[in-house]
Amino acid sequence: MNKAEHYLGIMICETRGKLPFPEQSFFRKLCLIGRRYGLFVYVFSPLWLRAEGIVSGYTYTKQGWTHRMFPLPSIIYDRCSYSSWEQYAKVREALERMMKRRNILFLGNGLKGKWSVYRMLIKDAAILPYVPETVEYEGSQQLRSWLDDHDGEAFLKPHSGSHGKNTLYVRLDEENGKMHVHGRDQANRLIRKTFREAAAGFGWIRRFIGSRKFIVQTYLRLNNRNGEPFDIRALVQKGENGLWQLTGMAVRKGKTGTLTSNLHGGGQAAKVSPFLEQEFGKEKGEAIIEQIRQLSARIPEILESGHGRLVELGIDFGVDWQGRLWILEVNSKPGRTVFLRIGDTESSAESVENPIRYARYLVLRQLRRVNS
Ligand SMILES: Nc1ncnc2c1ncn2[C@@H]1O[C@H](COP(=O)(O)OP(=O)(O)O)[C@@H](O)[C@H]1O
Ligand SMILES: [Mg+2]
């Protein structure tokens, strides 16, 4: 492969700081590994495009991070996390301008959010039994009738949320008409409210949601013996041959009495096998892991057929108190710090190297097409 020709651009949404992008340690590794695979890696935002058809960006060298101009990338790894619809529209518009100038390959396209993922997943008979019942939030009346049909409980979360932010557990107490709301706000702070009148609770939820798109889901009891909520994150990725593989998995558990297990909400990581064995015994623990493996092989295929090319997925699995497995969400821009937290250095290294291997696979495949 001709080294000079293949620029892999890591697309980011600008953040504040000396270096205006997140995940610096991950991107540093991508820059270094890229070179071994004949790819020149740099970090950029489409908003940094210059009229001359070049883009400013950052790359990591022996001298550290350097800021300079680059030719447009031939391949893009999208790690943009949009904080608003306005930002999304602005970045996409700039990206369109870039794509008019150059034929750009994408490692994968970001998924559109929880509701669209839900609709794709339930089409598959093998996956359906593992998906909690879900509807789009439409207002207080609908939520009230949901609560009537579901023992007075519901779990609400934003269509395009992350890190456990803006999640709500709602319980309507039939006997005294009180409503309890537990959850996390926009800044991931704990929410704990009781409304003597349900109507006040419904009103508060309506204002909390505002104009955002939310989903209402069956509330699952995902706590372990110590009352800590936990989930299992599985990372599936494409590698050097373009095939999906399970890179690794890890447990994340939140504090006792809280609602979410995300690391960003103060959660801790643990190894899956010993954790499940302690909770459910050896046999049941192994059976759960096997189910996770099978679903992790199936889910990428189903989502790609409904959505288009994907490069990697972080799948959040819940295990309820009866040992039943549930698919909580699927993330197309997953983090990978969890493997280092549990000391799984092999999965950690693989998780970083795989996007580069897949990028090289795509570039080589394209070259073969052009030359044949
Ligand atoms: N239906 C549910 N019932 C109970 N807890 C849930 C449910 N869905 C999610 N959770 C908890 O909330 C956390 C965040 O939910 P998730 O769907 O992964 O959204 P995100 O991580 O994008 O905020 C999960 O890790 C889990 O701890
Ligand atoms: Mg999640």
Side-chain angles (χ1 to χ4, degrees):
M1 224 156 56
N2 183 339
K3 278 188 185 172
E5 252 173 4
H6 299 288
Y7 287 88
L8 168 64
I10 304 170
M11 182 166 106
I12 52 92
C13 285
E14 210 173 316
T15 54
R16 267 187 283 241
K18 197 164 150 249
L19 289 169
F21 50 89
E23 301 192 286
Q24 284 157 21
S25 142
F26 175 33
F27 297 165
R28 173 173 51 81
K29 290 179 198 153
L30 289 177
C31 289
L32 297 173
I33 296 168
R35 233 150 277 173
R36 292 212 315 263
Y37 286 85
L39 294 163
F40 195 100
V41 182
Y42 66 86
V43 180
F44 79 102
S45 158
L47 299 174
W48 302 342
L49 176 68
R50 300 292 184 94
E52 309 89 294
I54 52 178
V55 65
S56 89
Y58 295 81
T59 193
Y60 190 85
T61 64
K62 278 189 216 115
Q63 282 80 44
W65 283 104
T66 51
H67 182 210
R68 66 169 181 90
M69 297 296 160
F70 296 94
L72 297 188
S74 53
I75 187 154
I76 286 181
Y77 181 32
D78 181 0
R79 293 298 294 177
C80 218
S81 87
Y82 303 100
S83 54
S84 68
W85 202 86
E86 289 72 26
Q87 186 188 35
Y88 176 80
K90 238 169 82 181
V91 170
R92 296 310 290 194
E93 198 230 345
L95 186 62
E96 297 287 319
R97 269 187 280 133
M98 275 180 74
M99 287 161 66
K100 279 204 187 105
R101 288 181 170 267
R102 194 180 172 157
N103 190 7
I104 302 175
L105 221 59
F106 280 79
L107 285 191
N109 297 302
L111 288 168
K112 301 240 150 30
K114 294 186 175 64
W115 178 242
S116 63
V117 167
Y118 167 79
R119 279 180 311 175
M120 288 188 272
L121 292 180
I122 56 167
K123 285 193 191 140
D124 187 72
I127 296 178
L128 181 64
Y130 300 94
V131 184
E133 189 188 346
T134 304
V135 296
E136 255 186 302
Y137 173 82
E138 286 167 5
S140 303
Q141 224 174 358
Q142 174 224 28
L143 181 58
R144 185 184 285 275
S145 74
W146 168 284
L147 292 170
D148 287 344
D149 296 343
H150 295 83
D151 296 326
E153 291 184 316
F155 194 85
L156 275 62
K157 52 187 170 183
H159 170 65
S160 48
S162 63
H163 303 161
K165 292 173 191 162
N166 296 302
T167 49
L168 298 178
Y169 160 61
V170 181
R171 183 161 62 83
L172 186 57
D173 202 325
E174 242 176 67
E175 274 164 27
N176 54 25
K178 282 186 189 170
M179 185 189 274
H180 304 276
V181 179
H182 294 180
R184 299 237 174 210
D185 69 8
Q186 178 74 28
N188 226 328
R189 285 177 301 237
L190 290 175
I191 297 173
R192 203 166 266 273
K193 288 182 176 296
T194 299
F195 300 92
R196 264 190 293 158
E197 304 286 332
F202 283 114
W204 183 88
I205 292 168
R206 199 184 60 235
R207 287 189 299 279
F208 179 83
I209 291 177
S211 59
R212 295 175 295 184
K213 199 163 150 172
F214 261 62
I215 57 173
V216 180
Q217 201 164 71
T218 309
Y219 173 66
L220 305 164
R221 292 197 148 58
L222 304 176
N223 300 327
N224 67 1
R225 288 154 187 245
N226 301 330
E228 296 158 326
F230 74 94
D231 70 3
I232 298 170
R233 163 56 67 94
L235 180 67
V236 283
Q237 297 180 298
K238 283 186 185 160
E240 61 198 344
N241 48 15
L243 301 176
W244 287 100
Q245 63 192 67
L246 177 62
T247 305
M249 46 175 119
V251 171
R252 303 178 302 183
K253 51 181 186 161
K255 294 198 183 80
T256 306
T258 64
L259 194 63
T260 58
S261 36
N262 302 66
L263 299 180
H264 281 87
Q268 282 186 324
K271 290 193 170 143
V272 176
S273 212
F275 180 90
L276 289 180
E277 189 177 326
Q278 201 186 354
E279 287 296 316
F280 301 104
K282 198 169 169 62
E283 206 175 318
K284 179 77 188 156
E286 278 169 10
I288 294 170
I289 292 177
E290 185 49 33
Q291 273 178 319
I292 292 178
R293 287 186 184 284
Q294 285 179 14
L295 286 167
S296 300
R298 184 94 186 135
I299 289 170
E301 227 176 279
I302 295 302
L303 293 183
E304 269 197 316
S305 71
H307 169 84
R309 187 191 291 153
L310 294 159
V311 48
E312 56 190 355
L313 294 170
I315 310 172
D316 291 347
F317 291 99
V319 186
D320 70 18
W321 62 283
Q322 292 173 300
R324 243 192 105 172
L325 187 67
W326 297 96
I327 300 164
L328 300 181
E329 73 152 339
V330 184
N331 203 308
S332 56
K333 292 172 189 169
R336 53 210 81 214
T337 50
V338 71
F339 299 121
L340 279 186
R341 297 250 198 136
I342 60 169
D344 184 350
T345 47
E346 193 183 326
S347 297
S348 174
E350 288 282 303
S351 75
V352 177
E353 198 139 343
N354 276 331
I356 298 283
R357 292 183 181 136
Y358 181 55
R360 195 173 99 112
Y361 164 84
L362 284 182
V363 168
L364 288 176
R365 198 178 66 166
Q366 202 187 35
L367 285 179
R368 269 201 304 274
R369 280 198 190 143
V370 173
N371 295 332
S372 62

